[in-house]
Structure formats: structure tokens, C-alpha cells
Amino acid sequence: MNDTIRKAAFVTPSDRQLAWQRLEFYSFIHFGINTFTDKEWGLGDEDPALFNPTAFSAKQWVDVCKSAGMRGLILTCKHHDGFCLWPSAYTEHSVKNSPWREGKGDLVREVAEACREGGIRFGVYLSPWDRHDPRYGTDVYNEYFKNQLRELLTQYGDVFCVWFDGACGEGPNGLKQVYDWDGYYEVIRELQPEAVISVCGPDVRWCGNEAGHTRESEWSVVPAHLQDIEKIQEKSQHVDDGAFSRLVRSQDDNLGGRDAIRDAGQLVWYPAEVNTSIRPGWFYHAAEDDQVRSVDKLLDIYYKSVGGNSTFLLNLPPDRRGLIHENDAANMAELGRVLSATFSRNLASGADASASEEADGLHAAGSILDGSADTYWCPLEGTEQASIVVELPQEATFDTIVLQEHIQSGQRIEQFSIEYEEDGAWQPLYRHTVVGYKRICRFPEATAKRLRLTIEASRWCPTFSAFEVYLSTKS
């Protein structure tokens, strides 16, 4: 088991995975023909003439995203109905046959350009399931799909993510498609090598639900076979009774824990993304205007996802005008205000730190306080338990501590605790399992000058690149 644990400790993210993880919080935009038919899943027989947003503004979408602190946007360029938001050369079922912009519009282009101008990243969702195209269910369809990938990946600038779900229902001819996943991946790696391939792909794993829930212990290092399970399953419907079903139904599964990796064979870096919608549906429905998630609920999901070694993909469905509704926009702006106010003042800035052990001068305890993601503390190799005492510049009241491992060196921490000093004695404050890219520890307000972080269990040796202390702002 020791060899397995050491091997797991040295599994690390690719550059593309690390860049994606640092985005932390970004949007899904479900917009298309379903917006105008009041459906979630179109049948594929919709008339393109229905698509006609009267006040479409990609800038408004980007502004709403930025108001909440989001760093990216993923657009549903084609959903299961097969209607394309760009004038694809490979189908007539697209905006080129709609009255919008007199048939000369390209919504994908406008959104991509608005993202660049607004300083956020742009990503694409392209549904493999197509309920419109008669080629679906044949080998020819795979070539059609790859041709559309090529259009999206060569005409709209850099793409940070290609997001696939695995929905695989019947097409208009009653057939189901055998997807050429490996062929799709080859196209993406060739044309956008820095883009992560998410969910039904090798780079980013679905957390297992669309409710915004996360596991208590979300490991980024997992058995390699999970990549294949994700690739072949339908993401949210008709889940099999096999391993994937058990995986997604139990949010307490410790996917990368010692029991999971003991007989796993190959291990991979396969981090989790949490996705959910700000409304009950994924596309806009006027009947849901009063069912927008509250700021408090969004904050809870944010803290548990971004603060639970995952990223947070939040869907914002524009309405028939082509605008994100005022109710959604208001809650996003307030969410951003609270997050900005909470994390604007790090109470550990200027603090001192001392550790029970340090590997060398380059990895001293003070590295956790310098604000750099590239520097880090670690003890000697093979030391799996250690502690760090942080002394704040002055006594302070706080209720949030942010921890980060140096994941460029791997994910290693299995259990840790935080205490605060009161009248010369250490008092328990917070205890949890994994840290990973980021752990946001939240607890009732405490007041202290000295804090102690204890790593109770880790793989090979732990690392920490950040220890930050905050007092949260209420919504």
C-alpha cells in the first residue's frame, strides 16, 4: 500500500487542467430554439424562424457574469434539438435561416468577442445528440459532428473548454449514435490544445448531480477507469445500474481515498466540476421568474464547490429578448458584492508562521503567507504529519479560513484540523479531510491572534501554498 500511496502523491494536473482550475467560477449559457418554445429538450422539428431575440446583448451576458466574479462563459452552441447558433456550413438548421439579424447573424461570434472584450474566457458546448439531423445514427454523423467542432474551434479564437454531455437518445430516424469520442478528442487536441474537455472527456469530471452538491472528500486523483465511465454514460438521465450509477448516487463516496486507490491500477488527475442552474430549468421559462436561487443559496454552493476542491459552473438562461433576466442579474450582482467584500481583506496579511518541520529554505512555513501560488511549505519527504502555527499581526475576529495545497506537486492531504489559542490553550475550530486546490473553511466567529494548522494524515508529505483568514460579509 505504501507504494500505491506514494504513486498517488505524485499524480499532478496538466497545464490545461491547472489553468481551468484557477478560473474557479464560470457560467453556462443555455440559449437556443428551446428559449422560444418554452421547452427543455426540443424535438428537432422546430422552425428556425422561431429564433428571434429582440434585444440580444452578449455584452449584457458578460457584464452579469463579471458582476458575480465569474471568469468564463460556456455557450450551448448546439443543444439536442440540433439548432446551431452559428451559420454552420454543414446544416440549414441554424441562425442563418432565422429572422434574427436578417439571417446574417452569428451568435457564437458575438458572444466570443464579448468575452474577449470583457476579459473572461470563452468555452463551447456542442451536443453529440442531434434530434434533427438525418445522419444521426450513422458513421456519417460522426464526420458531421467533427466538422462542426472544427468550425467552432477555428473561427472564434481561443477556447478554454469544450463541454460534452453524453446524452444519446434517438434521432429523427429512430436510431442511436455510437459516438466517436476518441475522434472528437483528436480534433480538439489538434485545434485547441489548451482547452479542457469536460464531463464526457479526459480532463474534467462531473461531480455526479445537477443540484450543486459536492462530496465531503472530493479527490482530484482517482482511478483511471472513471474517465471511461464518464465517457460512455449519459450524463444526467437513464444512468446504468453499474459503477457509474453507484458513483453518482452517493455523494459520500470517497473516490480517491485509500480504499478506492488500493486496487485501482493506473491513477489520473481528474478533477471535479459542480454544475447547476440558477433556476429550476436550464433554459428560460417565464413561469420561473420568481424561482431564481437566492444569494444565500448561491453562496452556499459557491463555498462548498469552489471551496471543496471543485469548480462552480452556474447556468444563467437568457430570456426571449436575448437578455439575462433582471431577477437573475440582480442576484448575481449581489453575490459578487458579498464575495468581493468577504475576500477583500486577508487578516493573515503580514502574519508570521512557524512549522514543526521544513524541507529546506525554499519551502519554509512563511511560504503559505506570501500570496504566491507557486511557493509552498512542505516538510521532509516521508513526513506525513506536521503542524504550522500562524501568528496574526493583531488579534482579529474571523469566520473563514482559505487553504490551498500546491497541486502542481499533487494532492496529498487526507485530514487536517485548525485550532485557535484562547487564554494560552488551543481550542478546536475546524476539522476536515481533503484540501486540494482550495478548501474554504467556514465556522462560527472566533477571535484570536494565534492559529494552529495540523496535518493529521497525508500522502508521502503534505504541501500548503496558502493560508488566508477572513471575516465574511453577509448578504
Side-chain angles (χ1 to χ4, degrees), residues 116-263:
R116 279 195 295 274
E117 292 171 2
I120 67 173
R121 301 300 306 277
F122 175 65
V124 298
Y125 164 108
L126 188 67
S127 171
W129 186 19
D130 193 316
R131 306 180 82 180
H132 171 83
D133 199 278
R135 291 164 285 195
Y136 188 83
T138 71
D139 289 341
V140 177
Y141 176 79
N142 279 323
E143 292 308 310
Y144 165 68
F145 189 80
K146 284 185 273 190
N147 283 334
Q148 290 202 316
L149 271 177
R150 290 186 182 98
E151 288 182 315
L152 291 173
L153 301 181
T154 59
Q155 299 179 15
Y156 302 101
D158 291 340
V159 169
F160 85 90
C161 172
V162 180
W163 206 99
F164 289 139
D165 65 31
C168 186
E170 294 181 354
N173 52 15
L175 300 177
K176 285 191 175 184
Q177 182 71 36
V178 177
Y179 297 139
D180 180 16
W181 290 115
D182 291 337
Y184 305 163
Y185 301 163
E186 287 176 7
V187 171
I188 297 165
R189 292 294 194 238
E190 173 193 350
L191 300 176
Q192 294 279 349
E194 301 307 311
V196 293
I197 308 171
S198 295
V199 181
C200 283
D203 297 317
V204 176
R205 173 170 51 85
W206 182 47
C207 76
N209 64 84
E210 295 180 341
H213 297 158
T214 48
R215 293 177 180 82
E216 285 296 303
S217 301
E218 196 65 78
W219 282 93
S220 296
V221 179
V222 299
H225 74 269
L226 292 180
Q227 290 179 321
D228 292 328
I229 291 172
E230 292 277 15
K231 184 169 69 173
I232 64 175
Q233 302 294 336
E234 299 176 27
K235 181 180 66 62
S236 57
Q237 287 81 23
H238 317 305
V239 177
D240 284 355
D241 289 330
F244 183 80
S245 177
R246 293 191 296 274
L247 184 159
V248 302
R249 288 174 184 167
S250 173
Q251 290 307 294
D252 294 326
D253 283 348
N254 197 355
L255 300 183
R258 293 196 176 214
D259 290 342
I261 67 172
R262 181 183 293 113
D263 302 313

Side-chain angles (χ1 to χ4, degrees), residues 84-99:
C84 300
L85 296 181
W86 78 103
S88 174
Y90 299 97
T91 183
E92 296 301 305
H93 200 51
S94 80
V95 290
K96 66 185 177 184
N97 287 312
S98 77

